[in-house]
Amino acid sequence: MSLQRSYTLIAPFYDAAIDRATRAARQHSLRALPAQPGRVLLAGVGTGLDLPHLPPQHHYIGLDLTHAMLRRALPRAGRADFVPVQGDAQRLPFADHSFDSAVLHLILAVVPQPALCFAEIARVVRPGGQVLVFDKFLRAGQPALLRRLVNPLVRRLATRLDVVFEEVLAAAPDLALEHDQPALAGGWFRLLRLRRL
């Protein structure tokens, strides 16, 4: 099953499964957006769970692979300056250095090639810009045998369980890690803040 088809089917149930468990971490991550107004890319905006928590001063572009997810996101935008765009986070339809910040909440463990996605984020964020990440990652060298065992099945339906952030970061040398904080599930989920060099 393709990722696009899978998430089209998941869209009606996504919020019930994810919202409450991740809300506090999302809010914490989004508080790090700069005070100065700018253009912010929400890569993998999904059903828009971040939208009610966004500071109002920015112009937001919300990218998602599926129309079904974007349709659910729109009502959550409220008064936010928000434009939905259907597209692939691994091949962003934006010019180099066209964003001041990017938010990647629960997207790097979803896309088939997280390193390619992260390299694309580095391309579209301007030097000095900020990248906020909230997702689940294995630590380098972590065995996590059960996660690795079920990963081939789970990744076809919804998400990967084997992404190592340090390997993803190596594909984007223009992004420097500034903050790394455990968030949920004993540190499996992490809040990360990076700066575009």
Side-chain angles (χ1 to χ4, degrees):
M1 181 182 298
S2 74
L3 193 62
Q4 187 165 11
R5 178 163 169 70
S6 178
Y7 269 84
T8 297
L9 295 173
I10 289 170
F13 314 104
Y14 184 85
D15 293 355
I18 300 298
D19 184 22
R20 183 175 296 194
T22 63
R23 188 180 306 154
R26 289 172 184 273
Q27 290 172 331
H28 184 80
S29 175
L30 293 169
R31 281 196 288 272
L33 281 170
Q36 183 174 351
R39 282 173 48 89
V40 178
L41 173 62
L42 305 172
V45 69
T47 62
L49 294 178
D50 289 332
L51 295 177
H53 313 295
L54 296 172
Q57 68 270 28
H58 301 295
H59 172 67
Y60 297 98
I61 304 291
L63 179 120
D64 205 87
L65 186 61
T66 71
H67 178 71
M69 288 289 194
L70 291 172
R71 188 174 61 244
R72 290 182 172 274
L74 272 172
R76 287 198 164 104
R79 296 184 181 181
D81 181 3
F82 172 74
V83 175
V85 173
Q86 188 170 353
D88 187 346
Q90 299 169 121
R91 286 175 281 288
L92 293 172
F94 308 114
D96 295 0
H97 308 153
S98 53
F99 291 94
D100 300 292
S101 301
V103 175
L104 290 84
H105 285 176
L106 305 181
I107 182 66
L108 288 174
V110 169
V111 295
Q113 296 178 292
L116 180 58
C117 174
F118 215 48
E120 277 289 273
I121 292 297
R123 179 183 67 78
V124 302
V125 172
R126 66 165 176 80
Q130 182 175 252
V131 177
L132 305 176
V133 176
F134 165 57
D135 219 322
K136 56 189 169 301
F137 300 106
L138 296 181
R139 298 276 176 180
Q142 182 180 2
L145 296 178
L146 180 59
R147 292 178 203 165
R148 292 182 190 276
L149 183 66
V150 300
N151 183 65
L153 173 63
V154 175
R155 73 185 289 175
R156 291 183 181 276
L157 300 175
T159 188
R160 294 179 55 158
L161 306 177
D162 66 341
V163 178
V164 176
F165 178 72
E166 289 71 19
E167 294 173 5
V168 174
L169 182 59
D174 290 332
L175 291 175
L177 183 62
E178 292 187 333
H179 181 77
D180 181 352
Q181 174 184 341
L184 297 169
W188 184 19
F189 287 78
R190 292 155 69 184
L191 290 166
L192 304 144
R193 188 176 66 245
L194 302 100
R195 184 74 53 191
R196 173 64 162 82
L197 301 176

